Amino acid sequence: MNPKKIILVRHGVTAWNQQSRFQGSSDIPLSEEGEEQARRTGDRLASWHPDAIWCSPLGRAEKTAQLIAGASEQKIDPEIHEELREMSFGYWEGLTMAEIKRRYPGEFEQWRNGPFDNIPEGGESALSIEKRSKQMAQKLLDSTLAKILVVAHGGTLRALLASLLSASVPDLMWKMRMENCSLSAVSVMKTRISLLYLNDTHHLRVKKDDISGINLDV
């Protein structure tokens, strides 16, 4: 029996990413660079042939998923899953870190020292983030599909990966880096779940003609 494979992809870059603005649940579209990143990711994954593509309802993730799907010979329409929506940062959204530090210095220090316990006003609670990441992890584990591609957001995917690995979401979520259009993957064999790789961005750093030759290791 072959193990189930799950690849996690963070969406392509947006203007707010490029300006280092807190994005959260704001529905900011991909920039031109982000669309090119998504096309490159599609080239990298074209030979993998996932059985399904699951994505966040936010436009930047859905567009990334569509561009990835478009590079495959298969006809796969991305499926929207509300659990994959990015966490909300409340009234911090749209602000840069420098602006937040200047306007809300006390709150910012509390968040930096304990980001899971100190959510900005109007933001998503730690309990909610943990709950839906575990719900999505269980959906993935319960699925009978052998290969699933998940396209979502940095915060959501880090929480999801921690949940898949049965690790503490608060302890692990903020200790990982997932860059835009990076690939991270796990394998599932019965009850054994293994991290295959994290934050792979090789396809974004080589000539376009060389992308298909990069070993996917899945």
Side-chain angles (χ1 to χ4, degrees):
M1 178 180 177
N2 293 324
K4 176 188 295 185
K5 301 293 175 63
I6 302 168
I7 295 182
L8 311 179
V9 180
R10 185 183 174 193
H11 63 79
V13 73
T14 71
W16 278 18
N17 288 142
Q18 292 165 325
Q19 296 162 11
S20 299
R21 296 187 183 279
F22 275 64
Q23 197 158 231
S25 60
S26 297
D27 204 357
I28 309 303
L30 295 181
S31 64
E32 289 185 12
E33 180 184 352
E35 292 190 6
E36 175 60 19
Q37 288 178 330
R39 283 189 283 268
R40 282 174 160 264
T41 306
D43 291 342
R44 176 85 183 274
L45 293 168
S47 62
W48 189 54
H49 305 308
D51 297 307
I53 301 176
W54 295 4
C55 73
S56 156
L58 295 180
R60 58 189 182 272
E62 187 174 5
K63 181 66 173 179
T64 300
Q66 290 169 346
L67 289 170
I68 291 172
S72 173
E73 295 178 356
Q74 295 171 288
K75 298 296 183 182
I76 298 181
D77 292 323
E79 302 173 21
I80 300 296
H81 290 261
E82 285 291 333
E83 298 95 329
L84 293 171
R85 178 183 294 273
E86 181 61 303
M87 59 189 291
S88 171
F89 283 97
Y91 58 39
W92 285 9
E93 293 189 8
L95 301 178
T96 65
M97 192 168 291
E99 289 169 338
I100 294 168
K101 288 172 68 175
R102 185 172 64 252
R103 297 185 193 184
Y104 313 106
E107 291 179 39
F108 178 79
E109 279 303 311
Q110 289 179 332
W111 176 80
R112 189 169 65 174
N113 293 328
F116 206 78
D117 299 317
N118 297 283
I119 305 299
E121 184 177 334
E124 185 176 7
S125 71
L127 181 62
S128 174
I129 298 165
E130 187 169 28
K131 179 180 179 181
R132 63 189 176 91
S133 70
K134 289 181 176 179
Q135 288 173 338
M136 176 49 61
Q138 197 59 54
K139 272 190 179 182
L140 288 164
L141 297 177
D142 289 343
S143 173
T144 58
L145 299 176
K147 297 192 290 186
I148 304 175
L149 183 68
V150 180
V151 183
H153 312 270
T156 307
L157 290 177
R158 291 195 303 268
L160 174 59
L161 184 54
S163 296
L164 284 169
L165 296 174
S166 299
S168 166
V169 174
D171 288 345
L172 192 59
M173 177 179 172
W174 296 101
K175 295 178 181 177
M176 292 182 281
R177 183 175 180 85
M178 287 187 179
E179 297 176 38
N180 293 102
C181 272
S182 64
L183 307 181
S184 302
V186 298
S187 69
V188 182
M189 177 65 83
K190 294 184 179 180
T191 59
R192 181 178 178 181
I193 303 173
S194 302
L195 176 65
L196 298 174
Y197 51 82
L198 175 70
N199 197 37
D200 181 345
T201 58
H202 285 78
H203 51 289
L204 304 181
R205 296 183 282 111
V206 299
K207 293 180 180 179
K208 196 168 176 64
D209 290 344
D210 295 334
I211 293 175
S212 62
I214 304 174
N215 186 1
L216 193 59
D217 291 327
V218 172

